[in-house]
Amino acid sequence: MSNLIPPEKRWIITTVLLAGLVGGALLFTSFLRAADDAFFLCSTASAKSRAVAAAADYEATPIQLQAIVHYATSTVVPQQNMAEISISFNVLKELAPANFLVFGLGRDSLMWASLNPRGKTLFLEEDLEWFQKVTKDSPFLRAHHVRYRTQLQEADRLLRSYKTEPSCFPAKSYLRGNERCKLALTGLPDEFYDTEWDLIMVDAPKGYFAEAPGRMAAIYSAAVMARNRKKPGVTHVFLHDVNRRVEKTFANEFLCRKYRAHAAGRLWHFAIPPVAANATIDGGDYRFC
């Protein structure tokens, strides 16, 4: 079907769909909230003042308006397709405002931030030049430039060696200052460690040439944070580019097939419970799954 659409018009269709997605999220949230408020306000004497306050509270945020304008007037569209985006969007609709951690700054960053209105959306980017470009164009995004200790060419060795390093084992796993476990992300901003993330999107760092950092540490660390969660509920982890061997292998090792909730295109969605909800784990057992 896509072959029947002229290439020069495909970006227009994609842009309209994305603008509709952002606008629909806003309309959906406002409709539900307005319905709830109307039901409640009917039984109160201060219905009018409460209605005004509710309307002001649920007006579009500046970043949502910016996202609609941006995607409606740009030929640059997110790197994920509509089916992939919809999986994360459906979770955000239920949880927003949420704590949303995104590995990577990209053409979709403005979209992700706008789909989590009044929540915390934090982006981590390893490419300094790209980080400076994106944050210059969108200075309101919450983002940090970070460095990784791994290279893609080490992936197989890291997968073997973690099984003999107790600091990597699930029963003892931690991130901040864990220098002995090379898969643990260390030296990142305090905000990364001090926040309990409800959603984690792993769409970076680069993982398509030997010297690139690869996503091994991001996947492992997402699993550790999900398992160490203290708040009720699961941690939603979204992994993109699962068509690649390393992403798929590390996902099966640390995020676990039994926790995979959805899949579309090149994206897998995992819903990982905290360790308290798992079976008792032997302190000497390296297995996450």
Side-chain angles (χ1 to χ4, degrees):
M1 182 69 179
S2 60
N3 292 332
L4 300 178
I5 303 174
E8 65 273 12
K9 292 185 178 180
R10 290 178 191 167
W11 71 268
I12 298 176
I13 296 173
T14 305
T15 296
V16 171
L17 288 173
L18 286 168
L21 188 66
V22 175
L26 176 62
L27 183 61
F28 178 83
T29 303
S30 299
F31 175 79
L32 290 182
R33 186 64 63 167
D36 289 342
D37 287 343
F39 178 80
F40 173 74
L41 294 173
C42 285
S43 63
T44 67
S46 57
K48 184 176 180 179
S49 60
R50 289 180 180 273
V52 171
D57 189 31
Y58 291 98
E59 289 179 349
T61 61
I63 199 167
Q64 287 177 318
L65 297 175
Q66 180 68 27
I68 293 173
V69 172
H70 170 76
Y71 291 115
T73 59
S74 174
T75 60
V76 177
V77 296
Q79 49 265 55
Q80 293 187 26
N81 64 37
M82 187 60 66
E84 294 166 344
I85 291 170
S86 295
I87 290 178
S88 308
F89 173 54
N90 288 335
V91 177
L92 280 167
K93 279 195 300 185
E94 294 182 10
L95 300 183
N99 294 329
F100 187 15
L101 176 67
V102 183
F103 286 89
L105 272 174
R107 298 188 295 272
D108 54 6
S109 297
L110 185 57
M111 179 192 67
W112 292 130
S114 70
L115 292 178
N116 186 30
R118 300 177 180 84
K120 177 191 285 189
T121 304
L122 178 67
F123 300 91
L124 304 177
E125 174 59 45
E126 92 278 5
D127 186 318
L128 180 57
E129 184 177 351
W130 180 245
F131 172 85
Q132 292 171 338
K133 180 184 185 307
V134 175
T135 53
K136 180 181 178 181
D137 294 339
S138 303
F140 39 78
L141 292 176
R142 196 177 198 138
H144 294 293
H145 173 244
V146 297
R147 298 179 183 277
Y148 294 92
R149 299 188 291 162
T150 59
Q151 290 188 344
L152 183 64
Q153 59 192 353
E154 303 173 308
D156 292 337
R157 181 176 62 79
L158 289 169
L159 197 61
R160 293 191 303 269
S161 63
Y162 98 88
K163 298 175 182 178
T164 60
E165 176 48 66
S167 294
C168 294
F169 292 178
K172 302 178 181 179
S173 58
Y174 65 100
L175 299 180
R176 183 166 16 205
N178 190 355
E179 301 295 337
R180 296 184 64 86
C181 181
K182 197 169 182 180
L183 284 172
L185 290 176
T186 62
L188 270 62
D190 289 341
E191 185 176 22
F192 170 80
Y193 303 105
D194 296 340
T195 305
E196 284 214 332
W197 301 105
D198 303 305
L199 301 91
I200 302 173
M201 173 72 71
V202 182
D203 204 0
K206 296 184 184 73
Y208 52 86
F209 57 95
E211 293 77 20
R215 298 180 186 173
M216 302 83 67
I219 294 170
Y220 170 87
S221 297
V224 170
M225 289 187 287
R227 296 169 63 87
N228 292 344
R229 180 184 177 89
K230 299 298 188 294
K231 294 195 301 183
V234 301
T235 301
H236 297 272
V237 179
F238 307 92
L239 175 62
H240 199 224
D241 296 318
V242 294
N243 56 304
R244 301 194 303 214
R245 183 183 68 86
V246 169
E247 278 80 355
K248 183 178 293 186
T249 300
F250 274 72
N252 289 332
E253 184 77 17
F254 298 111
L255 302 179
C256 309
R257 290 184 180 182
K258 63 183 177 181
Y259 297 138
R260 198 171 82 186
H262 300 95
R266 295 180 294 143
L267 184 129
W268 283 351
H269 165 212
F270 298 85
I272 304 176
V275 68
N278 294 332
T280 302
I281 299 173
D282 186 335
D285 191 349
Y286 65 81
R287 291 171 296 184
F288 277 68
C289 302

